[in-house]
Amino acid sequence: AQRVTQPEKLLSVFKGAPVELKCNYSYSGSPELFWYVQYSRQRLQLLLRHISRESIKGFTADLNKGETSFHLKKPFAQEEDSAMYYCALAFDSSYKLIFGSGTRLLVRP
Amino acid sequence: NAGVMQNPRHLVRRRGQEARLRCSPMKGHSHVYWYRQLPEEGLKFMVYLQKENIIDESGMPKERFSAEFPKEGPSILRIQQVVRGDSAAYFCASSPGIANTGELFFGEGSRLTVL
């Protein structure tokens, strides 16, 4: 069965420190992977998707099929990055997303 | 565009009552997804609908839960004879359908509390 695992419930870093939010998935085919973010008092929204290969707000994520991972990285964390981050997987054209349990990122001043 | 609108935002029901949660997708969107989030857990897929059709309900409990997306009006998630375990946040998301990129647009959620 398809599954997304985010092993860390909370990640706390200081401003300016590098950040890596881990995501591993289980799926034997070719998935599409996404990172969604929920800032305080805002809706869940798309941050980035692996097929776009883009950097959004300084964040990047590379799909590693060998390790079945899609970790989210940022070299220098900012306080405004504090939020809940969810990794998600789509395995067919319905885009019925399978979400991980989320990681709360706290960036301290 | 007001975005995905869900109501009510908060709903309190006693055990055995019915709960109805409504979702109006973004303008121009014809696909609706419902997710449930239990405390300390991620979002779990429940059902995927297009106008007047249930496409995938593999995440719906077999009993007491139903969903619809009529030709006119919002999508409705209905929970009959609620139990305490139904207490959760229910999120609706929509997508355009055509040229779908996988980006879902979420509502603010409806928080159901069963006493």
Side-chain angles (χ1 to χ4, degrees):
Chain A
Q2 303 84 13
R3 187 166 56 207
V4 176
T5 303
Q6 293 180 252
E8 302 142 328
K9 283 194 172 183
L10 172 66
L11 183 62
S12 180
V13 302
F14 286 104
K15 177 183 173 181
V19 168
E20 181 179 67
L21 292 92
K22 290 183 167 49
C23 171
N24 288 88
Y25 66 90
S26 298
Y27 179 59
S28 56
S30 295
E32 286 191 53
L33 275 297
F34 305 82
W35 277 98
Y36 276 75
V37 61
Q38 187 172 27
Y39 300 103
S40 179
R41 298 191 183 87
Q42 293 188 28
R43 303 167 187 225
L44 190 62
Q45 58 187 285
L46 178 67
L47 179 63
L48 57 77
R49 71 199 85 184
H50 90 269
I51 59 173
S52 299
R53 293 187 164 275
E54 56 195 348
S55 174
I56 304 294
K57 299 185 179 182
F59 284 98
T60 58
D62 292 317
L63 178 61
N64 185 323
K65 291 188 177 181
E67 296 183 357
T68 59
S69 68
F70 187 56
H71 304 326
L72 184 67
K73 301 177 183 179
K74 184 169 183 176
F76 307 104
Q78 303 300 313
E79 289 181 69
E80 55 266 30
D81 296 328
S82 295
M84 278 295 293
Y85 290 81
Y86 293 93
C87 183
L89 174 155
F91 56 90
D92 62 30
S93 60
S94 74
Y95 289 105
K96 177 183 77 178
L97 297 179
I98 309 297
F99 282 89
S101 55
T103 299
R104 180 170 298 281
L105 174 64
L106 179 60
V107 181
R108 300 175 184 276
Chain B
N1 197 330
V4 177
M5 302 301 292
Q6 289 188 248
N7 67 83
R9 293 289 312 283
H10 300 275
L11 183 63
V12 179
R13 285 288 178 265
R14 296 189 182 281
R15 281 179 296 171
Q17 292 184 318
E18 179 179 286
R20 283 192 184 218
L21 309 176
R22 288 175 290 277
C23 169
S24 296
M26 284 183 69
K27 188 176 181 180
H29 285 192
S30 59
H31 292 206
V32 165
Y33 308 76
W34 284 94
Y35 286 83
R36 176 166 63 176
Q37 186 176 35
L38 296 170
E40 304 298 319
E41 295 187 17
L43 286 82
K44 301 284 190 227
F45 168 79
M46 299 182 75
V47 62
Y48 165 42
L49 309 105
Q50 297 176 18
K51 283 284 187 182
E52 301 185 276
N53 285 306
I54 297 175
I55 306 302
D56 183 340
E57 56 182 349
S58 58
M60 289 277 271
K62 293 288 185 282
E63 297 177 348
R64 303 186 297 108
F65 284 72
S66 63
E68 62 177 9
F69 189 16
K71 186 177 181 181
E72 301 292 337
S75 175
I76 295 174
L77 180 66
R78 182 183 178 203
I79 311 172
Q80 296 177 286
Q81 300 174 324
V82 295
V83 300
R84 288 221 174 102
D86 297 333
S87 295
Y90 292 83
F91 289 91
C92 172
S94 72
S95 70
I98 297 172
N100 197 347
T101 62
E103 180 174 7
L104 300 188
F105 295 82
F106 281 84
E108 294 180 295
S110 292
R111 278 160 178 79
L112 172 65
T113 301
V114 180
L115 302 178

